[in-house]
Amino acid sequence: MKAIVYEKAKTFTVKDVPKPVLSEGEVLIKVAYSGVCGSDLFIYSGTHPRAKAPLIAGHEYSGTIVEIHPSVGDAFKPGMKATVRPTYACGVCYPCREGVPHVCKSLKLYGIDCDGGFAEYSAVRAENVFALPDDIDLAAAALIEPVAVAVHAVRRSELKAGDVVAVFGAGPIGCLVGLMAKKAGAREVYVSDMNPYRLDAASSLGLWPVNAKDTDFAAVLAEATDGRMADVTFDCAGAGQTIMAASATTRVRGQVMVVASFHAPYPIDLLAVNFKEQQFTGTRVYTDADFKIACGMVAEDPALFKKIATVYPYADGPAVIDGIPKGADVIKALFSFE
Amino acid sequence: MKAIVYEKAKTFTVKDVPKPVLSEGEVLIKVAYSGVCGSDLFIYSGTHPRAKAPLIAGHEYSGTIVEIHPSVGDAFKPGMKATVRPTYACGVCYPCREGVPHVCKSLKLYGIDCDGGFAEYSAVRAENVFALPDDIDLAAAALIEPVAVAVHAVRRSELKAGDVVAVFGAGPIGCLVGLMAKKAGAREVYVSDMNPYRLDAASSLGLWPVNAKDTDFAAVLAEATDGRMADVTFDCAGAGQTIMAASATTRVRGQVMVVASFHAPYPIDLLAVNFKEQQFTGTRVYTDADFKIACGMVAEDPALFKKIATVYPYADGPAVIDGIPKGADVIKALFSFE
């Protein structure tokens, strides 16, 4: 089968690899669409601490079930549409044993710790497979994984109907978090970024774009709220200057959601955290329940979510992955294997 | 009357000053004991942003009501024992209007923004006065204000019965937070400091002292919890290295309470906040309800709380204030005006 293989730092290659053979408990998915995540770019950089070449990356994918190992029960049938929850937990660490395996101490993902979805076929454990409606738009279905990240971040926050929300970063997660905040009842959602293409995408989703290049985000929120500021700020940018600024965009007793993965410690305004009794809350991937919610939301309104997607033939994969960090006009790149 | 007056940086002076004359709504308290807080030392340094000389500092005090302005209702009578909630709010900012005046945008305190309790008499608005039982130990009653800080910090946390707790700093607030954590049902409370005198005080309160000079706090917690770490960590030290270490002493999905006032932004381990879904929560002073709880707790068991107190005649005030930052063997200094 064809796959986009991570071979070494700065090298993804489209090549023929053996089609996976099912092991016990696994389901074979014929991949339709596979999305590119920031962590795929991190893998591409050669500095991802876990991904080891050669690897079929990609952990946001949809497709059709084509084969089921006999050991798997009768939940799935060939021909079913499906997506994959790529996370799998160790089962024995204390978060696993205490019922929160999504924060497993050694959480792993298809496409990072083992082969994933940048290929025509992917063998996945049955417990990671989510069946989808027969008429689902499979391009939209490849967005379910990042939608689940946003669902989790918003559900884990204290956002209430009527709230004003600030989002740092109009990338895929920032856009989807903003969208989920609206669905959760946020009255106004302001999204800050410096990339005009991303700000236009945020705007198309009904969010208020703020260009951080020439506009003070805190001043915009102050004007919008008569000085009260955002009830909840989501940092989906992961830069030192955004997390430092997050206290200022957030009201007294408000919440800052740490959604982005920060690759280094950054200073935060601890005096404001103390004086304003603010809360900084981390949020990581999603629970199984969040993933199911995301499946339902995408199935209900695929056109809405596809506003952030651009589809490329898989053969263009290496060039697309190379282009995103250089500022290509794309929010969420999807590779078509159809 | 005699008062300990802040006259300029590095200068507190015991001198005669006019006895206060009551204004509308005020009550006159004959001060019995007045405690020294970290913010009094900050005033002494000359760098406190709000305190302006000349000032009678001190915002932790107890005494006897000796005079009541006729405009005040009949809640108080001369001869009643009392303490003072030193905080007063603007009443018009949004936290005030939304019912959380303790996080008023311009919160002020007796003893910082106007004259306080380092004097024989103090005139205080009736709404700031808490009547106490006739037989209360007035030295213990001067500890109610810092006890209220600890009550608020613990009640604002998500601490549950059976939890393991880590506290950075065995100063007055660290000791009292540890004690409140025990009252809230914490199974084991570990307190880290480098000062042996302070660690002994923590130990006398039933807390587990950890000398940070030669012992790795995270390793102690790991051993005590089989690697699970503290459910809640309270940073009562306010140093850069403690808040950076706080993620490591705290479990997955645990909470770090930012109790200390940090005078500068410090880095925190944001990757851990995200990966472990931790929560950093700010906590400031106390609500009126917390203060009332503290009154009751101190009245019930004055001997327990007095374990952290050392009483000095007020005439020694300037020397004591000068000695604390130099490492004097004292947790909470109380000045006697009796």
Side-chain angles (χ1 to χ4, degrees):
Chain A
M1 68 172 183
K2 295 289 184 190
I4 308 169
V5 180
Y6 167 60
E7 298 202 297
K8 61 181 189 206
K10 295 282 167 191
T11 309
F12 272 98
T13 311
V14 176
K15 60 197 289 190
D16 282 299
V17 297
K19 187 172 157 183
V21 176
L22 290 184
S23 297
E24 201 169 59
E26 286 185 340
V27 168
L28 189 68
I29 292 175
K30 184 176 187 319
V31 176
Y33 294 89
S34 210
V36 179
C37 172
S39 59
D40 297 312
L41 307 178
F42 192 12
I43 292 171
Y44 182 58
S45 75
T47 56
H48 194 291
R50 303 195 327 258
K52 302 284 168 243
L55 175 78
I56 300 173
H59 59 268
E60 310 175 354
Y61 51 114
S62 63
T64 305
I65 293 172
V66 290
E67 199 185 326
I68 299 153
H69 191 277
S71 60
V72 175
D74 57 3
F76 302 109
K77 302 226 174 321
M80 276 183 167
K81 301 288 190 283
T83 188
V84 173
R85 197 205 70 227
T87 52
Y88 56 99
C90 76
V92 294
C93 71
Y94 74 87
C96 281
R97 292 181 61 147
E98 294 177 12
V100 283
H102 75 286
V103 279
C104 168
K105 290 189 82 173
S106 54
L107 189 74
K108 294 187 166 50
L109 274 84
Y110 283 100
I112 294 178
D113 301 280
C114 67
D115 286 344
F118 285 173
E120 288 183 286
Y121 293 91
S122 174
V124 180
R125 279 178 291 276
E127 73 232 47
N128 289 71
V129 177
F130 283 68
L132 298 169
D134 287 342
D135 62 350
I136 191 131
D137 178 327
L138 283 173
L143 301 170
I144 287 170
E145 199 271 355
V147 170
V149 170
V151 165
H152 183 65
V154 171
R155 283 167 60 89
R156 193 163 151 69
S157 78
E158 294 185 356
L159 197 159
K160 303 276 187 298
D163 276 357
V164 171
V165 166
V167 180
F168 281 104
I173 299 299
C175 284
L176 292 171
V177 160
L179 195 56
M180 284 306 136
K182 292 280 274 188
K183 283 183 184 282
R187 193 158 36 100
E188 286 171 12
V189 178
Y190 295 84
V191 182
S192 161
D193 204 302
M194 298 208 280
N195 177 326
Y197 180 86
R198 293 185 163 210
L199 289 168
D200 282 351
S203 181
S204 78
L205 295 171
L207 315 174
W208 291 78
V210 177
N211 194 327
K213 218 167 203 164
D214 50 26
T215 315
D216 177 355
F217 199 25
V220 169
L221 288 155
E223 193 177 333
T225 61
D226 199 15
R228 193 172 180 270
M229 313 311 285
D231 296 280
V232 185
T233 294
F234 292 87
D235 191 331
C236 303
Q241 65 272 33
T242 59
I243 201 71
M244 183 64 197
S247 277
T249 60
T250 308
R251 68 165 165 85
V252 171
R253 291 201 142 193
Q255 186 177 36
V256 175
M257 298 300 294
V258 182
V259 185
S261 290
F262 288 79
H263 295 298
Y266 288 109
I268 68 170
D269 189 348
L270 290 159
L271 189 63
V273 171
N274 177 265
F275 262 50
K276 297 183 180 175
E277 291 202 329
Q278 292 177 334
Q279 193 162 294
F280 278 60
T281 305
T283 167
R284 185 180 186 192
V285 295
Y286 30 69
T287 66
D288 207 76
D290 298 321
F291 211 87
K292 188 135 196 154
I293 290 168
C295 288
M297 283 185 172
V298 171
E300 272 166 31
D301 194 352
L304 174 65
F305 293 95
K306 280 173 72 180
K307 284 182 177 177
I308 64 162
T310 308
V311 176
Y312 303 88
Y314 72 83
D316 293 353
V320 170
I321 289 170
D322 187 63
I324 297 173
K326 296 175 178 161
D329 283 348
V330 56
I331 307 284
K332 174 59 74 182
L334 299 182
F335 299 144
S336 169
F337 285 90
E338 284 196 316
Chain B
M1 68 170 183
K2 295 288 183 191
I4 308 169
V5 180
Y6 167 61
E7 298 201 296
K8 62 182 189 208
K10 294 283 167 191
T11 309
F12 272 98
T13 312
V14 176
K15 60 196 290 189
D16 282 299
V17 298
K19 188 173 155 181
V21 176
L22 290 185
S23 298
E24 201 169 60
E26 286 185 341
V27 168
L28 189 67
I29 293 175
K30 185 176 187 318
V31 176
Y33 294 88
S34 210
V36 179
C37 172
S39 58
D40 297 313
L41 307 177
F42 192 11
I43 291 170
Y44 181 59
S45 76
T47 56
H48 195 290
R50 301 194 331 256
K52 301 287 169 242
L55 175 78
I56 300 174
H59 59 268
E60 309 175 354
Y61 51 115
S62 63
T64 305
I65 294 172
V66 289
E67 199 186 325
I68 298 153
H69 191 278
S71 60
V72 175
D74 57 3
F76 302 109
K77 301 225 174 322
M80 275 181 167
K81 301 287 188 285
T83 188
V84 173
R85 197 205 71 227
T87 50
Y88 55 99
C90 75
V92 294
C93 71
Y94 75 87
C96 281
R97 293 181 60 148
E98 293 176 13
V100 282
H102 75 287
V103 279
C104 169
K105 290 189 80 173
S106 54
L107 188 74
K108 293 185 167 50
L109 273 85
Y110 283 99
I112 294 177
D113 301 280
C114 66
D115 285 345
F118 284 174
E120 289 184 284
Y121 293 91
S122 174
V124 180
R125 277 177 292 276
E127 73 230 47
N128 288 71
V129 177
F130 283 69
L132 298 169
D134 286 343
D135 62 351
I136 190 132
D137 178 327
L138 283 173
L143 300 169
I144 288 171
E145 199 271 356
V147 170
V149 170
V151 166
H152 184 64
V154 171
R155 282 168 60 88
R156 194 164 150 69
S157 79
E158 293 185 358
L159 197 160
K160 303 277 188 296
D163 277 356
V164 171
V165 166
V167 179
F168 281 105
I173 298 299
C175 284
L176 292 171
V177 160
L179 195 56
M180 285 305 135
K182 292 281 274 186
K183 283 184 183 280
R187 193 159 37 101
E188 286 171 13
V189 178
Y190 295 84
V191 182
S192 159
D193 205 301
M194 298 208 280
N195 177 325
Y197 181 86
R198 293 186 163 209
L199 290 167
D200 282 350
S203 181
S204 77
L205 295 170
L207 316 174
W208 290 77
V210 177
N211 194 328
K213 217 166 202 164
D214 50 28
T215 315
D216 178 355
F217 199 25
V220 170
L221 287 155
E223 193 177 333
T225 61
D226 199 16
R228 192 172 179 271
M229 314 309 287
D231 296 279
V232 184
T233 295
F234 292 86
D235 191 330
C236 303
Q241 66 272 33
T242 59
I243 200 71
M244 183 65 197
S247 277
T249 60
T250 308
R251 70 166 164 84
V252 171
R253 289 201 144 193
Q255 186 178 35
V256 176
M257 297 300 294
V258 182
V259 185
S261 289
F262 288 80
H263 295 298
Y266 287 109
I268 68 171
D269 189 349
L270 291 158
L271 190 62
V273 171
N274 176 265
F275 262 50
K276 296 182 179 176
E277 291 202 330
Q278 292 177 333
Q279 192 163 293
F280 278 60
T281 304
T283 167
R284 185 182 185 191
V285 293
Y286 30 68
T287 66
D288 207 76
D290 299 320
F291 210 87
K292 187 135 196 154
I293 290 167
C295 289
M297 284 186 170
V298 172
E300 271 166 32
D301 195 352
L304 175 65
F305 293 96
K306 278 172 73 179
K307 285 183 177 176
I308 64 162
T310 309
V311 176
Y312 303 89
Y314 73 82
D316 293 352
V320 170
I321 290 170
D322 187 62
I324 298 173
K326 295 174 179 161
D329 281 349
V330 56
I331 308 285
K332 173 60 75 183
L334 299 183
F335 299 144
S336 168
F337 286 90
E338 286 196 313

